[in-house]
Amino acid sequence: MTYLEIDSAMVSITREKCNECKNRLDAIPKENTTERKAVQLEYGMYTFCGNAGLLFNTGGKREGIYKNRQHFIKRTLHKYPKLNSFYQPLDREEKMCFIAALQAELFLRDQWLEEQYTAFSAAEASGDTKSSFELKIKIGAVEGMFAAWEAWRTENNVYPHMFQEETV
């Protein structure tokens, strides 16, 4: 499987999650404001996953985004010993496949998720139910996206289980 095929699959999974969520949102009556807000937050996070991971980049050719994605990997991977030790000996083509399969999730874990866990814990400790509600939905959506990506990687034997036991 080429890196562009892997990239295409990751984009498709992300768009599918967005579309499923948008359909659920469209089916919720306008007067169900709390339920709508929850699903709107979820939808926003699926879109965020696509944008932040450079999966929804539509400008230029898909090959062009790999310079940005490679730059992030080179700057960040040293913080993740398991991933780094796996990545370093790969040849150029395999590195491109690795990036296509894992960069979006690595970016979100590194740049967003840990901060959200901290904010959620603080909101829970302070009794801030509004923030707790919103953060729980946001974190749950991103973790759901990770699970969808991991399911595909496992099913297709494309770098499965790479984030197990990996911490910063």
Side-chain angles (χ1 to χ4, degrees), residues 43-113:
Y43 176 73
M45 294 315 301
Y46 294 145
T47 302
F48 173 71
C49 288
N51 291 330
L54 296 176
L55 296 171
F56 290 170
N57 178 325
T58 57
K61 293 183 178 182
R62 292 301 297 168
E63 295 92 336
I65 67 165
Y66 277 87
K67 288 181 184 177
N68 290 336
R69 295 177 95 183
Q70 284 176 316
H71 178 71
F72 172 78
I73 289 286
K74 288 177 183 176
R75 217 181 53 229
T76 308
L77 210 52
H78 70 279
K79 296 189 281 184
Y80 300 86
K82 175 184 173 186
L83 294 172
N84 193 36
S85 66
F86 191 87
Y87 176 80
Q88 291 307 325
L90 298 175
D91 66 26
R92 184 185 184 294
E93 187 172 323
E94 278 298 315
K95 283 182 177 177
M96 298 297 277
C97 291
F98 181 96
I99 292 167
L102 300 168
Q103 184 274 330
E105 184 168 343
L106 180 62
F107 179 84
L108 290 163
R109 287 179 182 278
D110 186 71
Q111 301 293 311
W112 186 82
L113 190 59

Side-chain angles (χ1 to χ4, degrees), residues 5-158:
E5 291 169 325
I6 295 167
D7 178 72
S8 178
M10 302 308 279
V11 170
S12 293
I13 292 163
T14 308
R15 289 198 192 285
E16 184 177 311
K17 291 287 270 185
C18 286
N19 291 339
E20 288 171 0
C21 194
K22 181 75 168 95
N23 290 339
R24 281 191 290 124
L25 180 61
D26 291 345
I28 300 170
K30 302 282 186 215
E31 55 275 3
N32 294 14
T33 56
T34 302
E35 183 181 5
R36 285 186 63 77
K37 175 162 178 114
V39 177
Q40 285 170 333
L41 285 168
E42 181 183 359
Y43 176 73
M45 294 315 301
Y46 294 145
T47 302
F48 173 71
C49 288
N51 291 330
L54 296 176
L55 296 171
F56 290 170
N57 178 325
T58 57
K61 293 183 178 182
R62 292 301 297 168
E63 295 92 336
I65 67 165
Y66 277 87
K67 288 181 184 177
N68 290 336
R69 295 177 95 183
Q70 284 176 316
H71 178 71
F72 172 78
I73 289 286
K74 288 177 183 176
R75 217 181 53 229
T76 308
L77 210 52
H78 70 279
K79 296 189 281 184
Y80 300 86
K82 175 184 173 186
L83 294 172
N84 193 36
S85 66
F86 191 87
Y87 176 80
Q88 291 307 325
L90 298 175
D91 66 26
R92 184 185 184 294
E93 187 172 323
E94 278 298 315
K95 283 182 177 177
M96 298 297 277
C97 291
F98 181 96
I99 292 167
L102 300 168
Q103 184 274 330
E105 184 168 343
L106 180 62
F107 179 84
L108 290 163
R109 287 179 182 278
D110 186 71
Q111 301 293 311
W112 186 82
L113 190 59
E114 287 304 318
E115 184 178 305
Q116 301 309 304
Y117 285 146
T118 301
F120 178 71
S121 294
E124 288 279 292
S126 71
D128 183 349
T129 56
K130 181 180 185 239
S131 292
S132 292
F133 170 78
E134 290 180 4
L135 287 163
K136 185 175 183 179
I137 291 167
K138 289 177 177 182
I139 291 168
V142 171
E143 288 175 342
M145 185 63 72
F146 293 168
W149 289 336
E150 178 62 33
W152 182 87
R153 290 192 306 256
T154 300
E155 180 180 319
N156 291 278
N157 197 30
V158 176

